[in-house]
Amino acid sequence: MAFYFQISNKDIINDVDVGLQPNPLPFAAANAPVFGRNAHLSPHLAIVLADEGFDVEQVCLPWRYFTDRGFLVEFVFPRPIDPPRTARPDPSYTCGWKGSIMGPSKEAMDIYSILCTLEEFIEPKHYTDEGFSFLDFDVVLITGGRNEPMRQMLTDPSLHSKLKPYLSLCKRIDPETNQPSVAPSKILGTIAQGTLPIYMSDPETPLKSTTIPVWMERTNSWISPPPENSSYPYAASLIPSDKYFAGPNYRSVFTMEDMHHYFISGRCNRDILPLSTGIYGLYRQMLRDQKSSMRPHKKRSNHYPTTFIKK
């Protein structure tokens, strides 16, 4: 089902007002949704993934969630595919016995079939291009994966160097102390091993996150050993202990929000929709914080009111 969106003409510090309606056309739209009267007013989201071996639910469900809310979603691959082809998900989770038990939902696969017809998925952006910058986006979502193509992307120095300037702009706006001219902050989300590039790009980063626990990583490796299993980097073991929180074992769904940055992370596929909701909430919170910082603050009086005593 195709949708079209309308965004009110408001300046950048105002909240996004989205009206969602079903497309009245009797046939399915072949192009990407139209984002309101002025597309440049739509917040821009980058979904970072490899052109092969990505997780369908980590890519397709956020795309649907954010396009439904008026975001302009673009896909970012490492480099152009040669020879040209459509990006392919991890086959071990889309077919065979593991696909039938642990594979993506029918909804996610249906969305993937739609993505394969869209220009932004067929001709994505590439972070290795000389003119590419993550600073062109308002929100960045880094997906995870445990197969070789995804591991190569997550440990790619080119990705780390392009992410570093973006990470420095994710600090939360304090409406009480920031100057009225404060610029909008960037929003960051990661899922599973997608946290790795953050700490590999800047080991001293103050960002705190969660990801899939080491014991679960090892269980996955035992069920389906990846190539060079002995050197497989467990994300949880590479994140500094003072910046990592595994989350409670009794909760099947868990996301962690950094208290000092507009950054939220999730552990596994079950967290992808709550993570998307959290990212959207952080974006709206950033707009509110920026708007509050631009209001004139009343100066606090240093004296007490005078008491008059009637004689």
Side-chain angles (χ1 to χ4, degrees), residues 17 78 90 106 191 263 270:
D17 183 16
D90 187 349
K106 182 181 182 301
I191 185 72
F263 169 48
R270 291 182 179 180

Side-chain angles (χ1 to χ4, degrees), residues 154-226:
L154 296 174
T155 57
D156 187 356
S158 297
L159 175 61
H160 305 161
S161 63
K162 291 294 180 69
L163 274 175
K164 194 170 183 178
Y166 186 91
L167 300 179
S168 65
L169 299 179
C170 293
K171 190 172 182 179
R172 286 183 185 253
I173 299 171
D174 186 348
E176 297 298 324
T177 61
N178 282 121
Q179 297 298 320
S181 60
V182 64
S185 291
K186 300 297 185 180
I187 316 298
L188 177 66
T190 62
I191 185 72
Q193 297 88 346
T195 56
L196 268 179
I198 295 175
Y199 301 96
M200 298 186 77
S201 62
D202 183 9
E204 303 301 322
T205 180
L207 296 176
K208 297 183 179 181
S209 66
T210 188
T211 184
I212 185 171
V214 172
W215 67 266
M216 193 177 293
E217 293 268 27
R218 290 172 177 162
T219 302
N220 285 340
S221 298
W222 177 77
I223 295 174
S224 179

Side-chain angles (χ1 to χ4, degrees), residues 7-16 41 283 287 290-291 294:
I7 299 180
S8 297
N9 288 324
K10 298 182 178 181
D11 53 49
I12 193 170
I13 65 171
N14 286 340
D15 238 340
V16 178
L41 293 179
Y283 178 76
L287 294 177
Q290 189 193 25
K291 186 175 181 179
M294 301 184 79

Side-chain angles (χ1 to χ4, degrees), residues 49 54 75 77 86-87 112 115-116 118-124:
L49 69 157
F54 62 87
F75 299 94
F77 290 6
T86 305
Y112 172 66
L115 290 183
C116 291
L118 300 184
E119 181 179 353
E120 60 265 36
F121 193 71
I122 299 173
E123 298 181 4

Side-chain angles (χ1 to χ4, degrees), residues 85-307:
R85 59 166 173 78
T86 305
R88 297 189 294 242
D90 187 349
S92 65
Y93 285 94
T94 56
C95 58
W97 68 270
K98 192 159 67 169
S100 61
I101 298 175
M102 306 170 60
S105 63
K106 182 181 182 301
E107 177 190 7
M109 292 303 297
D110 289 343
I111 296 173
Y112 172 66
S113 66
I114 295 174
L115 290 183
C116 291
T117 68
L118 300 184
E119 181 179 353
E120 60 265 36
F121 193 71
I122 299 173
E123 298 181 4
K125 294 185 179 296
H126 309 102
Y127 64 73
T128 52
D129 289 350
E130 184 176 351
F132 177 86
S133 175
F134 281 109
L135 299 181
D136 295 334
F137 297 92
D138 304 295
V139 185
V140 170
L141 170 61
I142 308 175
T143 62
R146 56 189 305 275
N147 51 69
E148 191 61 24
M150 288 297 298
R151 289 169 57 197
Q152 290 178 0
M153 184 199 78
L154 296 174
T155 57
D156 187 356
S158 297
L159 175 61
H160 305 161
S161 63
K162 291 294 180 69
L163 274 175
K164 194 170 183 178
Y166 186 91
L167 300 179
S168 65
L169 299 179
C170 293
K171 190 172 182 179
R172 286 183 185 253
I173 299 171
D174 186 348
E176 297 298 324
T177 61
N178 282 121
Q179 297 298 320
S181 60
V182 64
S185 291
K186 300 297 185 180
I187 316 298
L188 177 66
T190 62
I191 185 72
Q193 297 88 346
T195 56
L196 268 179
I198 295 175
Y199 301 96
M200 298 186 77
S201 62
D202 183 9
E204 303 301 322
T205 180
L207 296 176
K208 297 183 179 181
S209 66
T210 188
T211 184
I212 185 171
V214 172
W215 67 266
M216 193 177 293
E217 293 268 27
R218 290 172 177 162
T219 302
N220 285 340
S221 298
W222 177 77
I223 295 174
S224 179
E228 300 177 4
N229 188 44
S230 59
S231 61
Y232 178 62
Y234 299 116
S237 64
L238 296 180
I239 301 174
S241 58
D242 62 328
K243 300 169 185 173
Y244 172 73
F245 186 71
N249 292 328
Y250 59 85
R251 289 180 60 180
S252 59
V253 175
F254 177 77
T255 59
M256 179 178 174
E257 187 175 318
D258 191 298
M259 299 303 296
H260 302 289
H261 300 81
Y262 297 109
F263 169 48
I264 185 171
S265 52
R267 296 183 298 182
C268 56
N269 284 7
R270 291 182 179 180
D271 304 331
I272 192 61
L273 284 178
L275 179 72
S276 300
T277 303
I279 293 173
Y280 181 61
L282 284 180
Y283 178 76
R284 294 173 64 88
Q285 183 63 51
M286 183 275 293
L287 294 177
R288 288 193 292 267
D289 292 343
Q290 189 193 25
K291 186 175 181 179
S292 296
S293 70
M294 301 184 79
R295 294 170 181 162
H297 297 289
K298 294 181 180 179
K299 294 183 178 180
R300 296 180 179 180
S301 175
N302 293 324
H303 64 275
Y304 295 98
T306 303
T307 301

